[in-house]
Amino acid sequence: AQTVTQSQPEMSVQEAETVTLSCTYDTSENNYYLFWYKQPPSRQMILVIRQEAYKQQNATENRFSVNFQKAAKSFSLKISDSQLGDTAMYFCAFITSGTYKYIFGTGTRLKVLA
Amino acid sequence: NAGVMQNPRHLVRRRGQEARLRCSPMKGHSHVYWYRQLPEEGLKFMVYLQKENIIDESGMPKERFSAEFPKEGPSILRIQQVVRGDSAAYFCASSPPAGTDYQETQYFGPGTRLLVL
């Protein structure tokens, strides 16, 4: 069975600092996609970043970047220059190419401190 | 381009009543998914629909829950005879048609928080 594990239930970071959230997954598939979603206190699910497994280059979106290690099945999210608005739950998600069921991790609650 | 719309945002029901949750996908999207999020947990897949078709309802409880996506109008998730355990956030997502860029990416609505008293 495919699983997604986020081993850090809670984290905090000082404003303007950098923080890394970890995510590991388990699959026997070779073609898949990985995502990070942010869920602020409003509870809206917001797509942060997306990575195709066949691409070796790590995805980057402004202050957000990933460290994708396919062999290790690791997909960590780095947030640079943290801002108060980054305070949220962050969910890692996985989907096999050609399918539609997202598998979500249990989330990491990130608090950015002023 | 408006995002995925869900209403109501909050819904309170007493045990035994019916709950109807609505979802309008993003313009141009033909695939709709419903997920449930229990407190302090990640989202769990419930059902996948295309227009007038249920493609996969393997994540939906067999009793009391049903979903539809009619030719016209929003997708509806219906919960009959609600119980306290149904209290959760219900999220709808949509994705672009197959063969398009980002076809595997699901865009989520703001969710409906259901509270059963």
Side-chain angles (χ1 to χ4, degrees), chain A residues 4-113:
Chain A
V4 175
T5 302
Q6 293 179 251
S7 58
Q8 304 151 314
E10 292 188 5
M11 294 189 72
S12 61
V13 61
Q14 288 295 135
E15 197 176 6
E17 297 291 309
T18 295
V19 64
T20 298
L21 309 183
S22 67
C23 172
T24 57
Y25 58 93
D26 188 25
T27 183
S28 57
E29 300 289 337
N30 196 43
N31 296 319
Y32 50 87
Y33 297 82
L34 294 156
F35 306 85
W36 279 97
Y37 282 87
K38 168 185 175 181
Q39 189 177 45
S42 67
R43 304 295 298 275
Q44 171 90 44
M45 289 289 286
I46 301 166
L47 177 64
V48 174
I49 202 163
R50 163 185 178 271
Q51 174 81 43
E52 296 101 325
Y54 61 86
K55 286 189 178 177
Q56 291 188 336
Q57 186 174 4
N58 289 324
T60 300
E61 288 287 341
N62 301 313
R63 298 183 294 108
F64 298 88
S65 60
V66 298
N67 183 6
F68 174 47
Q69 302 288 330
K70 191 171 183 179
K73 295 180 182 173
S74 169
F75 182 61
S76 60
L77 174 69
K78 185 171 87 170
I79 306 174
S80 304
D81 186 25
S82 297
Q83 300 175 0
L84 295 177
D86 295 334
T87 292
M89 280 287 283
Y90 286 82
F91 291 97
C92 179
F94 165 99
I95 188 169
T96 302
S97 180
T99 69
Y100 44 81
K101 287 184 192 176
Y102 273 29
I103 309 296
F104 282 90
T106 51
T108 295
R109 188 179 302 279
L110 176 67
K111 188 168 186 179
V112 180
L113 307 171

Side-chain angles (χ1 to χ4, degrees), chain B residues 8 11-14 16-22 64-66 76-83 86 90 112 114-116:
Chain B
L11 183 61
V12 180
R13 285 289 178 265
R14 297 194 179 277
Q17 291 184 320
E18 179 180 286
R20 276 183 180 244
L21 288 61
R22 294 175 198 79
R64 303 188 297 107
F65 284 71
S66 62
I76 307 285
L77 179 67
R78 182 182 177 207
I79 311 173
Q80 296 177 289
Q81 298 173 332
V82 295
V83 301
D86 296 333
Y90 292 84
T112 294
L114 172 66
L115 176 63
V116 180

Side-chain angles (χ1 to χ4, degrees), chain B residues 36-75:
Chain B
R36 178 164 64 176
Q37 184 183 30
L38 296 172
E40 305 302 318
E41 293 188 12
L43 280 67
K44 297 281 171 49
F45 169 83
M46 296 181 74
V47 61
Y48 161 39
L49 309 105
Q50 295 180 18
K51 285 283 187 184
E52 298 184 281
N53 279 306
I54 297 174
I55 307 302
D56 183 342
E57 55 184 350
S58 60
M60 204 154 65
K62 295 284 186 287
E63 315 241 330
R64 303 188 297 107
F65 284 71
S66 62
E68 63 175 9
F69 188 17
K71 188 177 179 182
E72 301 290 337
S75 175

